[in-house]
Amino acid sequence: MLTRKVLITSGKGGVGKSCCTVFLGQALARHGFRVLLIELDAGLRGLDLMLGLEDRNPYDMGDILKGRCDPYDAVSACGESRLSLLSAPSGDWSEFSQADLVWLCREIASYYDWILLDAPAGIGRGFRLGLEAADRALLVVTPDPICVRDAAAVSSIMERTRGSGFSQRLIINRVGRQPMGDSLPDLDAVIDQTAVQLIGVIPEDQLLARCAANGLALPSSARAFQPFDNTAWRLAGIYRPLDFP
């Protein structure tokens, strides 16, 4: 199958976007797909810690693009799983162009079924580079008015940049058991205000942050485990329910 390249982005920071990247990647790998996570937050790495890969590889994406190593030398495998990581450059993006990242994704794509591009929050250079390289996007929001408004703005930028045919899907993260408030009374209001089709709903789960901080896989007992599993299947085009505990 053709490698699918997914930009995972958000309108603002603090919505759990990188956690969604990691645990969605783990879910896809459990389902038998070969998955590469590419970190785009130059100079501010974090995925290596979340995957338990800190200091495992001296190379990063910047080394590839500067010709210091081959693409596969900079990729770190996550144990025995089908999940791998390519870390962001240790510097900034000023030396690199959209064509560089597009080339890199094309060069490495044949080894993976899915490439998940973890963009930094907002609409800076890392986001725009990832948008050019991706063939679809997941927009992560939490159910609060500021986050939803910013996500709607990011969605509009993606549509203007890539056209109406560029696929966008919505993940609503950190959904609690308490009422959401007057401005966003339910999940339908989040969907309506972002105008993006829903693909996943992830409940608030303290185990997410604990696992991410300690580089651990999400256990099957976690509240968010099945919702991530369902979202991964839906991303792959296989129906699964949206319900969550």
Side-chain angles (χ1 to χ4, degrees), residues 54-174:
E54 183 183 12
D55 299 328
R56 295 278 185 91
N57 196 324
Y59 298 117
D60 59 36
M61 194 189 314
D63 293 305
I64 299 172
L65 297 176
K66 290 179 178 178
R68 294 172 180 159
C69 69
D70 292 330
Y72 312 104
D73 293 330
V75 171
S76 300
C78 299
E80 299 299 319
S81 78
R82 293 170 174 256
L83 183 66
S84 299
L85 171 67
L86 178 56
S87 293
S90 55
D92 60 35
W93 286 109
S94 59
E95 300 178 63
F96 309 124
S97 67
Q98 290 178 335
D100 290 325
L101 185 57
V102 171
W103 167 83
L104 176 58
C105 288
R106 187 183 302 121
E107 187 75 9
I108 210 166
S110 63
Y111 288 82
Y112 300 97
D113 302 306
W114 292 90
I115 293 177
L116 306 185
L117 298 149
D118 182 38
I123 54 175
R125 186 161 175 77
F127 161 76
R128 294 186 180 276
L129 290 172
L131 181 58
E132 183 67 23
D135 55 43
R136 66 197 70 192
L138 294 177
L139 185 61
V140 181
V141 302
T142 55
D144 71 82
I146 295 174
C147 180
V148 170
R149 181 187 63 188
D150 290 351
V154 169
S155 176
S156 295
I157 291 169
M158 290 194 289
E159 183 171 347
R160 289 197 304 271
T161 303
R162 293 296 306 270
S164 58
F166 183 71
S167 174
Q168 299 184 44
R169 294 294 184 266
L170 185 70
I171 293 178
I172 306 178
N173 192 31
R174 294 180 178 167

Side-chain angles (χ1 to χ4, degrees), residues 169-192:
R169 294 294 184 266
L170 185 70
I171 293 178
I172 306 178
N173 192 31
R174 294 180 178 167
V175 177
R177 294 189 171 111
Q178 301 302 317
M180 292 168 53
D182 294 337
S183 59
L184 292 170
D186 51 34
L187 297 183
D188 286 337
V190 178
I191 299 166
D192 291 343

